[in-house]
Amino acid sequence: MQGIAFLSTVAGTARAPGRLRRRLLSSSLRTTTRSYTPAAGVMTKRMNLFTAINDALRTAMDTDQSAIIFGEDVAFGGVFRCTVGLREDFGDGRVFNTPLCEQGIAGFGIGYASLGKTAIAEIQFADYIFPAFDQLVNEAAKFRYRSGNQFNCGGLTVRAPCGAVGHGGHYHSQSPEAYFTHTPGLKVVMPRSPAEAKGLLLSSIRAPDPVIFLEPKALYRAAVEEVPEGDYTIPLGRADVLREGRDVTVVGWGGQLRVLEKACDLAADEGIACELIDLRTLLPWDADTVMASVHKTGRLVVSHEAPKTGGFAAEVVAEMQERCFLFLEAPVQRVCGYDTPFPLVFEKVGREGGWEGGREGGREGGGGGGEGRGGGVG
């Protein structure tokens, strides 16, 4: 449904009248979204998302003898197998299970990182990170500030699988990134693919500040690509332009990029060239790259899987309204999830029905128009 809402939104904004209205391309506008291209001489291996995460963790453990991995069930590999084989290779003193207590996991990580060591915590599902909210927001994020930079817990990275998979229901489908982007002192990261996940995770583990690293669990096995072997990083706070276009800027992150790539192809069939941007890092986010794109296209659509109200799209929209007002040719739009808990029985309809049901059927089903109120919950 989000794809149909997106198409309707883009069609409306890209065809809006304006003094800088552009002539549509006469040839096909379908382009291949750019994926990771290794530099010459770089050895790569085909991986899915969870094996890329595992490879990044293994690299971190190899290069930093103080690094430890801990969380619920991580010793046997974790629910999604991201830590499989690590206890056998690095020992149960460095890879170990914790009690089922997210507050304790976060608190232990903060204490260990405050000693100048590297703590890599796993919260089994992002939906259950909220018991640790006080530790992360009131302790981890403020540790450096309240001590006048005498102490810090910058060695803390908290990994958490997030987002919907089609059968997770209320408590295994949430995307809580916006809660943490409101917290100075934290970094918030969400990758879109295996190569991105490895590079961003290694940068997060080595960052001087605590990082919330959210992994779209729908991509653990679905996303596959060539990933650099060995040590490999991607800078935090730098967005990535996946495909260039001149009619409308489209911004997303994480698993939503799969939806947006398809939506941009649908828009191309309607004669609309989209410029697609992956923020990668949400705190701090790369407003300059988005601004440069909006200055070129004059239009902006921001989309995420999380509920619309108070979602991070609102921050992007507000910032671009301030920076790009005189360049905008149409109102900035959001295409986001419904403001409801995730509905188990309708989850697949919300995530997939817009693609399978066809464009007109999606519109009749409430999938289009406005700011994405009918954009589905997935």
Side-chain angles (χ1 to χ4, degrees):
M1 289 299 186
Q2 280 194 341
I4 302 303
F6 173 89
L7 181 61
S8 177
T9 297
V10 168
T13 58
R15 291 170 180 160
R19 55 187 174 83
L20 298 178
R21 184 172 182 175
R22 294 161 179 79
R23 193 181 297 273
L24 291 175
L25 296 175
S26 57
S27 59
S28 173
L29 294 174
R30 278 185 178 269
T31 59
T32 301
T33 302
R34 185 183 58 74
S35 58
Y36 171 76
T37 303
V42 175
M43 299 296 293
T44 65
K45 183 178 180 180
R46 195 160 179 80
M47 302 182 192
N48 60 23
L49 192 80
F50 91 82
T51 53
I53 293 290
N54 181 275
D55 195 46
L57 293 172
R58 186 177 300 278
T59 300
M61 298 287 278
D62 275 332
T63 57
D64 182 353
Q65 294 304 306
S66 77
I68 59 173
I69 297 171
F70 53 96
E72 298 161 14
D73 300 323
V74 299
F76 80 84
V79 171
F80 296 103
R81 316 308 291 160
C82 291
T83 56
V84 68
L86 297 181
R87 181 183 64 172
E88 290 76 8
D89 291 345
F90 297 100
D92 55 14
R94 296 184 65 193
V95 182
F96 51 88
N97 292 332
T98 65
L100 202 161
C101 178
E102 287 78 12
Q103 185 176 18
I105 293 170
F108 173 78
I110 293 167
Y112 187 77
S114 71
L115 300 176
K117 301 179 184 296
T118 300
I120 308 169
E122 179 181 301
I123 302 296
Q124 198 168 82
F125 288 88
D127 310 63
Y128 298 117
I129 202 169
F130 300 112
F133 199 73
D134 177 63
Q135 288 290 321
L136 296 172
V137 172
N138 281 334
E139 302 301 333
K142 298 171 175 62
F143 210 96
R144 186 190 303 274
Y145 183 83
R146 71 175 185 171
S147 70
N149 203 29
Q150 295 182 71
F151 312 104
N152 71 82
C153 59
L156 172 65
T157 301
V158 179
R159 297 178 41 249
C162 69
V165 293
H167 52 265
H170 298 5
Y171 301 119
H172 297 83
S173 304
Q174 298 177 75
S175 297
E177 64 268 21
Y179 291 102
F180 294 102
T181 58
H182 194 62
T183 306
L186 296 178
K187 285 183 167 65
V188 181
V189 180
M190 191 187 297
R192 72 173 185 271
S193 71
E196 293 282 311
K198 179 178 179 180
L200 290 170
L201 180 55
L202 282 170
S203 291
S204 297
I205 291 169
R206 296 163 180 171
D209 300 295
V211 178
I212 308 297
F213 191 87
L214 298 170
E215 301 164 8
K217 56 182 176 285
L219 303 185
Y220 274 139
R221 288 167 175 79
V224 182
E225 67 180 349
E226 294 295 323
V227 177
E229 295 183 317
D231 211 332
Y232 158 72
T233 60
I234 294 174
L236 302 184
R238 191 176 301 173
D240 190 20
V241 180
L242 296 180
R243 59 197 290 174
E244 296 186 354
R246 64 181 188 179
D247 291 320
V248 59
T249 299
V250 181
V251 175
W253 49 89
Q256 189 67 0
L257 267 298
R258 289 192 308 167
V259 176
L260 296 181
E261 287 171 6
K262 295 176 182 178
C264 287
D265 284 339
L266 288 177
D269 290 343
E270 299 289 331
I272 301 165
C274 300
E275 180 146 300
L276 181 60
I277 298 177
D278 175 14
L279 287 187
R280 290 170 159 169
T281 306
L282 303 182
L283 186 65
W285 68 283
D286 186 358
D288 289 342
T289 293
V290 179
M291 179 181 69
S293 178
V294 175
H295 280 186
K296 176 175 69 173
T297 66
R299 302 173 180 93
L300 172 64
V301 176
V302 188
S303 181
H304 56 61
E305 184 178 291
K308 175 185 176 183
T309 300
F312 192 69
E315 174 62 26
V316 177
V317 167
E319 184 72 15
M320 290 303 106
Q321 285 284 123
E322 292 177 8
R323 293 194 182 200
C324 305
F325 182 75
L326 296 179
F327 291 84
L328 290 172
E329 298 187 38
V332 178
Q333 301 288 332
R334 291 175 288 168
V335 179
C336 308
Y338 281 122
D339 290 336
T340 69
F342 244 88
L344 176 59
V345 68
F346 293 119
E347 187 171 329
K348 281 197 173 185
V349 175
R351 285 176 52 78
E352 302 168 8
W355 302 114
E356 301 300 329
R359 297 181 194 177
E360 295 305 320
R363 288 194 183 101
E364 291 171 5
E371 280 197 300
R373 283 292 185 185
V377 295

